[in-house]
Amino acid sequence: MSVLESLKGKSFLKLMDFSAEEILGLINLAAEYKEKKKKGILHDTLRGKNVALIFEKTSTRTRCAFEVAAHDLGMNATYLDPKSSQIGKKESIADTARVLGRMFDGIEYRGFGQDIVEELARYAGVPVWNGLTNEFHPTQMLADMLTIREHLGGLKGKKLVYMGDARYNEGNSLMVVCAKLGLDFVACAPKKYFPDPKLVAQCKEFAKANGSSITLTEDAMEGTKDADIIYTDVWVSMGEPDEIWEERIKDLTPYKVTVKLMKNAKKNAIFMHCLPAFHDLKTEIGREMGERFNFSELEVEDEVFESSQSVVFDEAENRMHTIKAVMAATLGA
């Protein structure tokens, strides 16, 4: 049985559950699908199947990536927005899973606690895919790794530096995937924004086995020295109170990705961001918060975001190809 054949019927909840060979197998499959897409070669091998897309948190990239990927594979997709589902309100997670599992061949969930998507998978009887939880964002990691490989020619031995709040899904997931695939991972932030010590300890074991390292540092210049990849994410989620904005801006401004930091990295280093980004004031929220807190850009300078080193839109596109690979492998295309 091949690596990908072994994934049939399996849920995709967090990368801790997968071997390096399985993760690389999904990345390779995504590259194959990307090539077929570019050449106009049909690959609708899952005709007749149906998938449910549960979004308790709205999204542009994740929703579009799942919908287009499903359609390319020949499947029908039903989108359930925060107002279209009774999950966890009038109906328990377990009951929702058992109902949807009898109607759909696969279920995507994007929302809050990791425990929710884990419970969905426990009761659904069909593959469940994590589109994002507070703790992990595994589909984003596949897209990131495919993008790095495309631009830098490989993964093992590369140094990835995550700037900013590393306690949640992006910081956690990048640390896991780097440890699994042999990239050196650096979290660069104030100590109170470091990842959970238990997860760090686990990842250090993975990294040791794969010849890489995990580093936590408060020194932005030391952390980014000779980096191959500098990665960041938004500092504040929409809807969080003003005091959180004030605290994060104060704490994390020294960790903004600047032209100076990019020059401190390797000459061919790339900049990554899972988007959306506060790199200017061209959005409604950006203008409002910029006026309120006196900023024109937050986690990344516009000059970096718009530079030739920025691969953020390749990264966004690759969400579709890697999500397609996850659905195809777990549904047995």
Side-chain angles (χ1 to χ4, degrees):
M1 180 183 290
S2 73
V3 168
L4 291 181
E5 286 175 336
S6 69
L7 299 183
K8 184 176 180 180
K10 189 172 181 178
S11 290
F12 189 74
L13 308 179
K14 59 185 184 298
L15 291 181
M16 302 287 284
D17 302 332
F18 293 83
S19 68
E21 292 73 23
E22 289 169 331
I23 296 168
L24 289 171
L26 289 169
I27 294 169
N28 291 337
L29 180 59
E32 291 175 23
Y33 278 132
K34 185 172 184 176
E35 185 177 6
K36 287 181 179 180
K37 179 85 170 176
K38 299 296 183 186
K39 292 180 177 178
I41 300 172
L42 289 178
H43 42 282
D44 52 347
T45 53
L46 290 172
R47 289 187 301 274
K49 291 191 179 292
N50 299 281
V51 295
L53 309 178
I54 303 172
F55 279 72
E56 292 197 294
K57 287 184 179 179
T58 56
S59 167
T60 300
R61 278 151 301 282
T62 303
R63 177 181 177 179
C64 291
F66 268 100
E67 288 193 343
V68 174
H71 294 156
D72 281 356
L73 290 169
M75 298 191 290
N76 300 306
T78 298
Y79 174 73
L80 299 171
D81 65 24
K83 296 180 181 179
S84 301
S85 168
Q86 299 298 339
I87 184 170
K89 303 182 193 104
K90 292 184 179 178
E91 187 168 57
S92 70
I93 308 299
D95 289 356
T96 298
R98 287 180 284 192
V99 169
L100 295 182
R102 292 179 180 226
M103 299 180 181
F104 294 95
D105 299 285
I107 301 166
E108 178 272 351
Y109 173 82
R110 178 184 174 92
F112 299 97
Q114 181 72 15
D115 58 317
I116 297 174
V117 76
E118 299 275 354
E119 189 171 3
L120 279 172
R122 191 156 55 248
Y123 289 98
V126 298
V128 173
W129 310 299
N130 180 358
L132 175 140
T133 61
N134 295 338
E135 294 88 349
F136 295 107
H137 199 357
T139 59
Q140 180 69 49
M141 296 306 102
L142 297 182
D144 292 342
M145 294 301 113
L146 176 59
T147 306
I148 292 168
R149 195 172 73 176
E150 289 173 340
H151 284 272
L152 300 181
L155 296 171
K156 199 168 181 65
K158 302 300 181 189
K159 178 181 177 180
L160 185 149
V161 181
Y162 182 78
M163 306 291 294
D165 191 344
R167 298 172 297 174
Y168 301 116
N169 45 52
E170 281 296 305
N172 289 343
S173 297
L174 283 166
M175 183 168 59
V176 171
V177 75
C178 286
K180 288 268 187 175
L181 299 185
L183 291 82
D184 294 323
F185 174 81
V186 179
C188 199
K191 281 184 180 177
K192 69 179 183 179
Y193 295 99
F194 284 174
D196 178 78
K198 289 182 180 178
L199 184 60
V200 172
Q202 281 184 289
C203 287
K204 283 186 174 181
E205 289 299 314
F206 292 141
K208 184 179 179 181
N210 291 303
S212 60
S213 62
I214 304 294
T215 303
L216 310 180
T217 180
E218 294 185 279
D219 189 325
M221 292 302 289
E222 181 62 32
T224 56
K225 185 174 176 58
D226 295 327
D228 295 287
I229 308 106
I230 296 183
Y231 197 123
T232 193
D233 190 12
V234 292
W235 292 344
V236 190
S237 297
M238 299 306 97
E240 291 194 281
D242 283 3
E243 54 267 28
I244 296 296
W245 281 80
E246 292 180 87
E247 179 185 20
R248 299 269 175 81
I249 292 170
K250 179 183 176 182
D251 290 344
L252 297 175
T253 292
Y255 302 90
K256 176 190 295 186
V257 180
T258 62
V259 171
K260 180 181 178 180
L261 285 184
M262 291 303 298
K263 287 181 178 178
N264 193 45
K266 287 183 180 175
K267 190 174 182 180
N268 68 335
I270 57 176
F271 168 73
M272 303 184 76
H273 193 305
C274 64
L275 303 180
F278 283 111
H279 64 99
D280 57 29
L281 299 180
K282 294 179 181 178
T283 63
E284 182 180 335
I285 292 173
R287 284 192 298 273
E288 178 187 342
M289 292 304 178
E291 291 173 6
R292 189 178 300 179
F293 299 108
N294 191 32
F295 68 80
S296 59
E297 52 200 10
L298 276 184
E299 70 275 7
V300 57
E301 289 181 343
D302 189 59
E303 188 175 348
V304 172
F305 187 89
E306 296 292 355
S307 73
S308 60
Q309 290 177 285
S310 175
V311 299
V312 298
F313 297 110
D314 293 339
E315 195 180 352
E317 177 195 341
N318 283 339
R319 293 295 308 285
M320 175 182 65
H321 305 300
T322 48
I323 282 170
K324 188 183 297 180
V326 169
M327 291 196 293
T330 55
L331 294 177

